[in-house]
Amino acid sequence: AAVTAALTVAGALLGLVRDQAIAKIYGASTDSDAFLVAWTVPEMAATLLIEDAMALLLVPAFSHAIALRAAGRATALRDPVRDPVRDLVAATFPRLFAVLAAVTGLLILFAPQFVGALAPGFPDPGLAVDCTRLAALTVLTYGIAGYFSAALRAHGRFLPPAAVYIASNIGIIGTILLLDSCWGVRAAATGAAVGGLLMVLAQLPAFVREADWPPLRPRPAGRIAAPLVGFAVLAPIALFAVSRQSQVLVERFLASSLSSGAISHLNYAQKVAQMPMVLSLMFCTVTVPAVAQAVAEGDRERARRRVEKDLALAGTVVLLGTSLILGYAPQIVEVLFERGAFDPQDTATTASVMRVYAAGLIGHTLVGALGRPFFSSGRPTWYPPAAMAVGLLVTVAAGSAAVGPWGVHGIAAANAAGICVTALLLLFGLGSRIVPIEVRAIGRALGRLGLAAAAAALAGRLAAPLIADALLSLVLGALLVPAVFTLTGLAVRAPEVVHLLALTRQRIRHVR
């Protein structure tokens, strides 16, 4: 988790550099909005093909194949030619490649219709169409990268998958610097395609070693089995992932009718606000194989303990990040983005939207953490996509009602409301269906952590305006907010805070 979190932080920092470059060069303008309409494709591809659907489908499948490989070796009956992992790759990868290539071609062909449906009020659809066609290549590259990531995580290799966003952002930033002078914002869309290719190359050597693919020896003829991979399992996972990412589509659809820059303000606010959520889910990312194995073996108690620990740790991290955002949103945005074409008015709008987004961070984290155990068994389950669909309906209804009177702030509030509804449905549904978690105990723990976060956010909100320099204020806030969060957590006896302090002391003693 520490290695994955460190590389994720590095990738997130490069992502901020990417957003800073786009903000400095294009500001919050029609050009940046055109890129962000096209950027919807990589965002959807990353959620569907790297983070959620591909991992939820293939990590259990590869874990099962690895167990079969180990069992064959242990009994000394392993066929010297056939290998369960190689067979799984042979049964799934060619088909996946063909489907991804076809979807990429269709998206390039129908880019005008895509832009028209996503942003019907956009003032320059031609520019957005050009960017979308360039960004469409990420469907193919992200799909391959996600396949490699799932296989490597199942093998216990977390370093190459965690490095993919570093590779992607390097590709985007480098391409912008090289081609902006002649291609304008289209250089950023080209960079997305280059970054996707680098994602694949960053994992290819490790995948070849672990999966022993392509095989060096011929396999006997006959049908190759693909355990735990089929339409019945894939359909609910894909629907869950698409519905989750569709909140972004709803936001951009509603914001396209607002003034120029509205999509950009939402994007910058969301990207920064969701960083605590991304870090909080690192625990769940590395424990998915453990949960899948426990569920497959019927050890529901071990699975319950693992899921409850993941929820507690993820909740601690995301609520601490939430309190920092609520207290220091203007300073964060000013330090990160206020330069070049991004002016103080853009800072004020983005910061206020970011604070609204922060209300839904705990919901986003719980949805990300709870989705994994639902699909860890490798059996079809339609409850998560149904819960996500309900949350999406809430987002659509609330956003449609709020966009008129409150603009981008109403859209952000609708996002928070919809995802929190989904989180509650998943939390109450997991115990009765997959893993018997204790919902009341989790609720009490999150409630205590919420009190600590409220106290820390209030302290930050009061202290932030006292120092005029944004960077100095933010540095001091990064010390003040965790201190108040920890002290309040100890005062209300939040066990997660005590546990984290004990782990920290043990780690210090171990290092010494």
Side-chain angles (χ1 to χ4, degrees), residues 155-221:
H155 281 86
R157 296 286 303 276
F158 296 100
L159 184 60
V164 294
Y165 292 112
I166 296 177
S168 173
N169 287 318
I170 288 175
I172 297 173
I173 295 168
T175 306
I176 291 175
L177 295 177
L178 287 174
L179 301 179
D180 171 65
S181 60
C182 56
W183 285 8
V185 76
R186 294 174 180 84
T190 305
V194 173
L197 179 61
L198 294 180
M199 279 182 163
V200 175
L201 296 178
Q203 299 180 96
L204 181 60
F207 175 78
V208 170
R209 286 194 300 269
E210 295 294 342
D212 191 17
W213 181 265
L216 299 179
R217 293 166 295 184
R219 290 187 299 272

Side-chain angles (χ1 to χ4, degrees), residues 68-82:
L68 291 177
R69 172 193 276 176
R73 289 171 176 170
T75 58
L77 295 176
R78 180 173 179 266
D79 189 317
V81 177
R82 298 301 292 267

Side-chain angles (χ1 to χ4, degrees), residues 42-80:
E43 281 183 325
M44 288 287 291
T47 299
L48 185 61
L49 301 175
I50 298 178
E51 298 302 332
D52 285 344
M54 191 75 76
L56 294 173
L57 175 69
L58 289 177
V59 168
F62 272 104
S63 298
H64 179 70
I66 292 168
L68 291 177
R69 172 193 276 176
R73 289 171 176 170
T75 58
L77 295 176
R78 180 173 179 266
D79 189 317

Side-chain angles (χ1 to χ4, degrees), residues 303-357:
R304 180 191 66 80
R305 291 196 304 269
R306 180 69 267 166
V307 171
E308 289 182 355
K309 287 181 180 179
D310 288 348
L311 292 175
L313 289 171
T316 302
V317 173
V318 77
L319 288 173
L320 175 58
T322 299
S323 58
L324 183 63
I325 289 171
L326 291 174
Y328 288 87
Q331 289 76 15
I332 294 172
V333 177
E334 181 178 346
V335 169
L336 292 178
F337 299 119
E338 191 176 311
R339 56 184 59 85
F342 199 94
D343 58 30
Q345 182 59 45
D346 292 324
T347 295
T349 303
T350 302
S352 60
V353 173
M354 189 189 303
R355 280 174 167 155
V356 178
Y357 266 129

